[in-house]
Protein backbone atom coordinates (compact mmCIF):
# COMPACT_ATOMS: atom_id res chain seq x y z
CA UNK A 1 0.00 0.00 0.00
CA UNK A 2 1.35 3.46 -0.90
CA UNK A 3 1.26 6.04 1.82
CA UNK A 4 -1.08 8.88 0.89
CA UNK A 5 0.75 11.70 -0.79
CA UNK A 6 0.48 14.07 -3.72
CA UNK A 7 2.37 11.70 -6.07
CA UNK A 8 -0.15 8.93 -5.46
CA UNK A 9 -3.17 11.13 -5.93
CA UNK A 10 -2.62 12.66 -9.36
CA UNK A 11 -5.86 14.00 -10.85
CA UNK A 12 -7.49 13.97 -7.43
CA UNK A 13 -8.32 16.76 -5.06
CA UNK A 14 -8.46 15.26 -1.57
CA UNK A 15 -7.91 17.05 1.72
CA UNK A 16 -7.88 15.44 5.16
CA UNK A 17 -8.62 17.75 8.09
CA UNK A 18 -8.05 15.67 11.26
CA UNK A 19 -10.11 16.76 14.25
CA UNK A 20 -12.13 19.30 12.27
CA UNK A 21 -14.98 18.81 14.73
CA UNK A 22 -13.63 19.19 18.31
CA UNK A 23 -13.78 16.08 20.49
CA UNK A 24 -16.62 17.13 22.81
CA UNK A 25 -18.84 18.20 19.91
CA UNK A 26 -18.01 15.03 18.03
CA UNK A 27 -18.94 12.91 21.06
CA UNK A 28 -22.31 14.61 21.43
CA UNK A 29 -23.08 14.46 17.73
CA UNK A 30 -22.22 10.76 17.58
CA UNK A 31 -24.53 9.94 20.50
CA UNK A 32 -27.38 12.08 19.20
CA UNK A 33 -27.19 10.54 15.72
CA UNK A 34 -27.10 7.01 17.12
CA UNK A 35 -30.26 7.71 19.11
CA UNK A 36 -32.29 10.02 16.88
CA UNK A 37 -31.74 9.03 13.25
CA UNK A 38 -34.21 6.56 11.78
CA UNK A 39 -31.57 4.11 10.62
CA UNK A 40 -32.50 1.91 7.67
CA UNK A 41 -30.98 -1.02 5.87
CA UNK A 42 -30.91 0.15 2.27
CA UNK A 43 -31.24 -2.39 -0.50
CA UNK A 44 -28.45 -2.03 -3.02
CA UNK A 45 -27.58 -3.70 -6.29
CA UNK A 46 -24.51 -5.86 -6.18
CA UNK A 47 -23.36 -7.88 -9.20
CA UNK A 48 -26.91 -7.69 -10.58
CA UNK A 49 -28.68 -8.80 -7.39
CA UNK A 50 -30.57 -6.82 -4.76
CA UNK A 51 -29.01 -7.30 -1.35
CA UNK A 52 -29.10 -5.64 2.07
CA UNK A 53 -26.26 -3.13 2.33
CA UNK A 54 -23.63 -4.10 4.92
CA UNK A 55 -24.28 -1.03 7.11
CA UNK A 56 -27.17 1.18 8.21
CA UNK A 57 -28.00 4.38 6.35
CA UNK A 58 -30.22 7.43 6.24
CA UNK A 59 -30.63 9.99 3.49
CA UNK A 60 -31.34 13.57 4.62
CA UNK A 61 -31.77 16.70 2.53
CA UNK A 62 -33.83 19.47 1.03
CA UNK A 63 -37.07 18.12 -0.53
CA UNK A 64 -35.80 18.52 -4.13
CA UNK A 65 -32.58 16.62 -3.38
CA UNK A 66 -33.74 13.23 -4.65
CA UNK A 67 -30.99 10.81 -5.23
CA UNK A 68 -30.49 7.59 -7.13
CA UNK A 69 -27.94 5.43 -5.38
CA UNK A 70 -26.98 1.86 -6.21
CA UNK A 71 -30.09 1.51 -8.36
CA UNK A 72 -32.64 2.85 -5.83
CA UNK A 73 -34.21 6.30 -5.52
CA UNK A 74 -34.25 8.01 -2.16
CA UNK A 75 -36.59 10.77 -1.08
CA UNK A 76 -34.72 12.65 1.62
CA UNK A 77 -35.72 12.82 5.27
CA UNK A 78 -35.91 16.43 6.60
CA UNK A 79 -32.87 18.04 8.25
CA UNK A 80 -32.60 17.67 12.03
CA UNK A 81 -31.45 21.08 13.41
CA UNK A 82 -28.06 19.71 14.46
CA UNK A 83 -27.26 18.59 10.93
CA UNK A 84 -28.44 21.77 9.25
CA UNK A 85 -26.17 23.65 11.70
CA UNK A 86 -23.30 21.46 10.57
CA UNK A 87 -24.10 22.15 6.94
CA UNK A 88 -24.17 25.88 7.75
CA UNK A 89 -20.73 25.61 9.35
CA UNK A 90 -19.25 23.84 6.30
CA UNK A 91 -20.73 26.46 4.01
CA UNK A 92 -19.62 29.36 6.25
CA UNK A 93 -16.05 28.01 6.15
CA UNK A 94 -16.17 28.04 2.36
CA UNK A 95 -15.91 24.26 2.12
CA UNK A 96 -18.73 23.94 -0.43
CA UNK A 97 -22.49 24.16 -0.72
CA UNK A 98 -24.64 21.21 0.19
CA UNK A 99 -28.34 20.31 -0.02
CA UNK A 100 -28.15 16.78 1.33
CA UNK A 101 -26.21 14.39 3.50
CA UNK A 102 -25.97 10.60 3.38
CA UNK A 103 -25.39 9.02 6.78
CA UNK A 104 -23.80 5.61 7.07
CA UNK A 105 -23.51 3.69 10.32
CA UNK A 106 -20.94 0.90 10.56
CA UNK A 107 -22.01 -1.22 13.54
CA UNK A 108 -18.53 -2.75 13.91
CA UNK A 109 -15.51 -3.73 11.84
CA UNK A 110 -17.60 -6.19 9.82
CA UNK A 111 -19.71 -3.42 8.27
CA UNK A 112 -18.10 -1.85 5.22
CA UNK A 113 -18.51 -0.07 1.90
CA UNK A 114 -17.16 -1.60 -1.29
CA UNK A 115 -15.29 0.09 -4.14
CA UNK A 116 -17.28 2.80 -5.90
CA UNK A 117 -17.11 6.37 -7.13
CA UNK A 118 -19.64 8.99 -6.14
CA UNK A 119 -20.39 9.64 -9.80
CA UNK A 120 -24.17 9.51 -10.08
CA UNK A 121 -25.34 12.01 -12.75
CA UNK A 122 -27.21 14.19 -10.25
CA UNK A 123 -23.91 14.95 -8.50
CA UNK A 124 -22.59 16.69 -11.62
CA UNK A 125 -19.23 16.29 -13.37
CA UNK A 126 -16.96 17.48 -10.52
CA UNK A 127 -18.78 16.89 -7.23
CA UNK A 128 -17.49 18.31 -3.98
CA UNK A 129 -18.11 15.91 -1.13
CA UNK A 130 -17.44 16.71 2.53
CA UNK A 131 -17.19 13.59 4.65
CA UNK A 132 -17.28 13.77 8.44
CA UNK A 133 -16.32 10.73 10.52
CA UNK A 134 -17.41 9.95 14.08
CA UNK A 135 -16.49 7.07 16.35
CA UNK A 136 -14.11 4.23 15.53
CA UNK A 137 -11.17 5.09 13.30
CA UNK A 138 -11.45 3.24 9.98
CA UNK A 139 -9.24 2.90 6.89
CA UNK A 140 -10.43 4.79 3.83
CA UNK A 141 -8.88 3.66 0.56
CA UNK A 142 -8.60 5.31 -2.84
CA UNK A 143 -7.50 3.61 -6.05
CA UNK A 144 -7.18 4.81 -9.62
CA UNK A 145 -9.88 3.60 -11.96
CA UNK A 146 -7.44 3.07 -14.83
CA UNK A 147 -4.79 1.32 -12.70
CA UNK A 148 -6.24 -0.22 -9.56
CA UNK A 149 -2.78 -1.08 -8.23
CA UNK A 150 -2.23 2.64 -7.53
CA UNK A 151 -3.76 3.22 -4.14
CA UNK A 152 -3.71 5.68 -1.27
CA UNK A 153 -4.97 5.29 2.24
CA UNK A 154 -6.24 7.56 5.00
CA UNK A 155 -7.12 6.65 8.57
CA UNK A 156 -10.33 8.55 9.34
CA UNK A 157 -10.75 9.23 13.04
CA UNK A 158 -13.32 10.83 15.33
CA UNK A 159 -14.14 14.35 14.13
CA UNK A 160 -12.05 14.14 10.94
CA UNK A 161 -13.25 15.82 7.77
CA UNK A 162 -12.26 14.51 4.34
CA UNK A 163 -12.93 16.67 1.30
CA UNK A 164 -13.05 15.16 -2.19
CA UNK A 165 -13.48 17.49 -5.14
CA UNK A 166 -12.52 18.24 -8.71
CA UNK A 167 -11.88 15.13 -10.78
CA UNK A 168 -11.42 12.79 -7.80
CA UNK A 169 -14.56 10.77 -8.60
CA UNK A 170 -13.78 10.61 -12.32
CA UNK A 171 -10.31 9.15 -11.78
CA UNK A 172 -10.62 7.29 -8.48
CA UNK A 173 -12.78 4.82 -6.61
CA UNK A 174 -12.92 4.68 -2.83
CA UNK A 175 -13.85 2.06 -0.26
CA UNK A 176 -14.15 1.52 3.47
CA UNK A 177 -12.87 -2.04 3.99
CA UNK A 178 -13.77 -4.39 6.80
CA UNK A 179 -11.45 -4.22 9.82
CA UNK A 180 -11.86 -7.42 11.79
CA UNK A 181 -10.37 -6.06 15.00
CA UNK A 182 -12.63 -2.99 15.22
CA UNK A 183 -15.55 -3.47 17.60
CA UNK A 184 -16.77 0.08 18.03
CA UNK A 185 -19.27 1.81 15.83
CA UNK A 186 -18.56 4.52 13.31
CA UNK A 187 -20.90 7.01 11.69
CA UNK A 188 -19.95 8.81 8.51
CA UNK A 189 -21.76 11.78 6.99
CA UNK A 190 -21.18 12.73 3.36
CA UNK A 191 -22.52 16.17 2.53
CA UNK A 192 -23.35 16.52 -1.16
CA UNK A 193 -24.97 18.83 -3.69
CA UNK A 194 -27.67 17.07 -5.70
CA UNK A 195 -28.88 18.86 -8.81
CA UNK A 196 -32.56 19.45 -7.91
CA UNK A 197 -35.20 17.70 -10.04
CA UNK A 198 -37.29 20.15 -12.04
O1 LIG B 1 -17.84 5.85 5.29
C1 LIG B 1 -17.07 6.45 4.54
O2 LIG B 1 -16.08 7.05 4.94
C2 LIG B 1 -17.33 6.46 3.05
C3 LIG B 1 -18.76 6.69 2.69
C4 LIG B 1 -18.96 6.79 1.21
O3 LIG B 1 -18.09 6.55 0.43
C5 LIG B 1 -20.28 7.16 0.69
O4 LIG B 1 -21.20 7.42 1.48
O5 LIG B 1 -20.43 7.22 -0.54
MN1 LIG C 1 -18.64 7.27 -1.61
Amino acid sequence: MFPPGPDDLNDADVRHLPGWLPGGQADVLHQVLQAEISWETHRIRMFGNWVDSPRLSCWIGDPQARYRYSGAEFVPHPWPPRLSALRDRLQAEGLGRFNSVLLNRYRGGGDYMGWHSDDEPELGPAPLIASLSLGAARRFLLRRRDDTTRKAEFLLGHGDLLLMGGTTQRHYQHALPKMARVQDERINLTFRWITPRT
Side-chain angles (χ1 to χ4, degrees):
M1 188 73 57
F2 295 108
D7 292 346
D8 299 317
L9 287 173
N10 292 332
D11 308 317
D13 189 355
V14 179
R15 255 202 299 163
H16 182 198
L17 306 177
W20 177 81
L21 193 66
Q25 289 179 40
D27 293 346
V28 171
L29 183 64
H30 192 198
Q31 285 160 18
V32 168
L33 296 177
Q34 281 176 324
E36 292 181 5
I37 293 295
S38 55
W39 293 102
E40 301 158 356
T41 302
H42 287 173
R43 301 277 291 170
I44 57 168
R45 234 169 140 70
M46 213 185 266
F47 307 115
N49 298 316
W50 288 98
V51 298
D52 284 350
S53 71
R55 58 190 172 270
L56 302 177
S57 306
C58 184
W59 177 248
I60 285 170
D62 299 344
Q64 327 83 283
R66 297 195 175 195
Y67 190 36
R68 267 183 233 279
Y69 184 74
S70 295
E73 191 184 56
F74 296 101
V75 177
H77 292 269
W79 290 92
R82 232 175 252 279
L83 290 187
S84 46
L86 209 50
R87 161 172 69 165
D88 291 347
R89 178 175 165 200
L90 290 165
Q91 296 187 153
E93 291 188 12
L95 297 176
R97 82 177 167 153
F98 307 101
N99 60 5
S100 52
V101 58
L102 177 64
L103 284 78
N104 282 296
R105 180 175 182 179
Y106 304 88
R107 292 157 288 192
D111 277 5
Y112 68 99
M113 191 176 292
W115 288 109
H116 69 284
S117 303
D118 297 331
D119 60 355
E120 288 77 9
E122 48 271 70
L123 292 170
L128 176 62
I129 291 166
S131 159
L132 177 66
S133 294
L134 301 167
R138 294 284 297 258
R139 298 168 64 211
F140 179 88
L141 311 178
L142 286 151
R143 72 179 185 193
R144 278 197 74 95
R145 290 165 74 149
D146 60 4
D147 178 358
T148 56
T149 66
R150 291 176 61 189
K151 294 179 180 169
E153 170 170 349
F154 296 87
L155 186 68
L156 299 183
H158 191 47
D160 290 9
L161 191 70
L162 187 83
L163 300 166
M164 294 189 280
T167 56
T168 307
Q169 305 303 326
R170 192 178 323 154
H171 294 292
Y172 287 82
Q173 294 181 315
H174 53 273
L176 193 95
K178 291 185 187 183
M179 285 176 72
R181 282 186 300 271
V182 171
Q183 302 206 326
D184 290 341
E185 290 208 355
R186 169 177 185 268
I187 290 176
N188 176 262
L189 301 85
T190 48
F191 290 83
R192 302 151 186 253
W193 178 265
I194 303 291
T195 309
R197 294 283 171 88
T198 47

